Amino acid sequence: MSTETLPPTGSLTEDRRALLQRRTVISLMLTQVVGAVGMGAMLAVGALIAQDLTGSDAWAGMATTMITLGAAVFALPLASLAARHGRRPGLALGWALGAVGGTVVIGATVLGSFVLFLGGMVLVGAGTATNLQARHAAADLSSERSRGRDLSIVVWAATVGAVAGPNLIGPSGGVAQRLGLPDLLGPALFTTVGFVLGAVLTMVLLRPDPLKTATAAVAAASRAAGTPETANGPRLSVPGALAVVGRTPAALLAVVGIVASHTVMVAVMTMTPVHLSHHGAALTVIGLTISLHIAGMYALSPVVGWLTDRFGRLPVLLSGQVVLLVAVAVAGTAGDDEVLVATGLVLLGLGWSFGLVSGTALLAESLAPEVRPRVQGVSDLLMNLGGAAAGALSGVLLAQTGFGGLNLFAALFTVPVFVLALRVLAARRRSVPTG
């Protein structure tokens, strides 16, 4: 199919919407699998390459920092592209930029250039931004009662690739050796290939475009009801998007919950390979630990989505913060116990999943359709800026306070979520009629 196939104006029945939503979710699942191979591989090996290039633990954290910074840099442009032209070109471009980043990382490592390596990791961050924005595409045509489930299924689809990626450290080393490259660049090769496949599958399979279809349906409904159409959504400025969030308590809680969950996760996960390496853990153990962590992030997300739809966004969001606190307590007191570190990392991933799925569903239902894509982009921007800042500080904190101090620092980011949740609950109580 060479052209977009949109339903005729006003013809998007519930049955048609459900059919298109199933096609969209399946397409997104397939691209997430291959793209997440690239994401997981680079997350596992990035800090080790940075440490090898610089000989410094403090600089090792800059690998994940650059990825999360890149995800922040590209979140808004990719969301803006989606708002104007649909999800497909935005997602495909993100995967393609990630592939370019993987290529740059390989070249920089061979040349021994840490600065060029950091630039490549920023581009790899575009792949991470794309992986995250796919969940918004899953919500474009979903119904209110299934939104948590649909977006969580797309998040879950990344499990296969994301778990496989870190475990490629060992086997992919042989591939790198046959190409005359250092062992650590094996996963970077898989990063590049995975992102290329993600771009190709997005362009081929994501038809019709879910956001364009949903926008056309909303416009048709507005015309049928005789209400004016709003055309300012795609051009909403960053300050304007923040103003929308600020005057909507539920949206503010959703954004802060997403940002906090991601920041806690990145701060601890970034330095876990270095912490384990200091205690003599083998590369296979480090890869397995990160794989288990990523499994915690993605594997149970359909269950998290069901809980979000069944019990509500707010209870699941708060439960996620509790799980994160337990995770940093376990990991931070584990010392050289590899099993306890892995247990803490699994819980860390699970808490992240609770926060991301429930927060994304809460944000989507708190916003009008015309402003939703742009505000979602701003949310992802803030989420990745928080992760970038945490990653930048993680190496310094590990060097100065140890792994326990790093985990204690990460725990502090859950506090604003509880405070804002109390505000939302109080507002809901005031809105309930008495007598």
Side-chain angles (χ1 to χ4, degrees), residues 15 23 113 126 132 165 190-191 197 212 266 300 313 330 334 352 390:
D15 287 345
R23 286 181 55 181
S113 172
L132 292 170
F190 282 87
T191 294
L197 289 176
K212 291 174 70 174
V266 172
L300 293 179
R313 314 331 185 187
V330 172
W352 176 90

Side-chain angles (χ1 to χ4, degrees), residues 262-406:
H262 191 65
T263 302
V264 173
M265 185 274 291
V266 172
V268 177
M269 180 273 295
T270 299
M271 285 294 104
T272 297
V274 177
H275 170 70
L276 289 172
S277 178
H278 284 168
H279 288 281
L283 284 177
T284 52
V285 172
I286 295 173
L288 177 61
T289 300
I290 298 301
S291 291
L292 291 173
H293 163 67
I294 296 175
M297 292 171 65
Y298 298 110
L300 293 179
S301 55
V303 176
V304 176
W306 176 82
L307 291 172
T308 299
D309 290 333
R310 175 66 179 81
F311 297 104
R313 314 331 185 187
L314 185 55
V316 175
L317 180 59
L318 293 178
S319 298
Q321 305 310 298
V322 174
V323 173
L324 288 172
L325 289 174
V326 174
V328 297
V330 172
T333 58
D336 60 356
D337 191 321
E338 296 170 359
V339 174
L340 280 181
V341 171
T343 300
L345 267 287
V346 171
L347 291 172
L348 187 72
L350 185 60
W352 176 90
S353 181
F354 271 65
L356 186 77
V357 171
S358 61
T360 300
L362 179 61
L363 182 62
E365 68 188 22
S366 302
L367 301 170
E370 62 269 15
V371 301
R372 191 177 293 159
R374 187 71 169 181
V375 175
Q376 288 168 334
V378 171
S379 173
D380 283 355
L381 168 65
L382 296 174
M383 168 185 176
N384 286 296
L385 284 176
L393 289 172
S394 63
V396 176
L397 286 168
L398 180 68
Q400 297 297 321
T401 67
F403 199 54
L406 172 61

Side-chain angles (χ1 to χ4, degrees), residues 3 5 21 26 50 145 147 163 171 182 191 208 212 256 267 284-286 293 300 307 315 414 421-422:
T3 59
T5 306
Q21 176 66 358
I26 291 172
R145 64 180 179 273
R147 180 167 288 124
V163 172
T191 294
K212 291 174 70 174
V256 172
T284 52
V285 172
I286 295 173
H293 163 67
L300 293 179
L307 291 172
T414 64
L422 291 175

Side-chain angles (χ1 to χ4, degrees), residues 115-286:
V115 173
L116 187 59
F117 166 79
L118 294 179
M121 295 300 269
V122 170
L123 287 171
V124 169
T128 301
T130 305
N131 174 270
L132 292 170
Q133 290 197 6
R135 75 191 194 280
H136 297 311
D140 287 333
L141 290 169
S142 64
S143 64
E144 291 292 334
R145 64 180 179 273
S146 66
R147 180 167 288 124
R149 180 200 66 192
D150 291 345
L151 68 90
S152 68
I153 288 174
V154 172
V155 172
W156 170 83
T159 304
V160 176
V163 172
N167 285 302
L168 293 173
I169 290 180
S172 64
V175 176
Q177 284 182 347
R178 285 193 289 274
L179 295 174
L181 298 172
D183 289 2
L184 284 178
L185 286 182
L189 293 171
F190 282 87
T191 294
T192 304
V193 173
F195 285 167
V196 167
L197 289 176
V200 171
L201 289 176
T202 297
M203 291 303 295
V204 172
L205 298 179
L206 199 60
R207 298 172 180 268
D209 190 287
L211 182 57
K212 291 174 70 174
T213 304
T215 302
V218 170
S222 297
R223 287 192 295 270
T227 57
E229 298 177 34
T230 302
N232 293 326
R235 292 186 292 275
L236 187 66
S237 65
V238 173
L242 292 173
V244 169
V245 172
R247 62 175 175 261
T248 312
L252 180 60
L253 172 61
V255 171
V256 172
I258 291 170
V259 172
S261 300
H262 191 65
T263 302
V264 173
M265 185 274 291
V266 172
V268 177
M269 180 273 295
T270 299
M271 285 294 104
T272 297
V274 177
H275 170 70
L276 289 172
S277 178
H278 284 168
H279 288 281
L283 284 177
T284 52
V285 172
I286 295 173

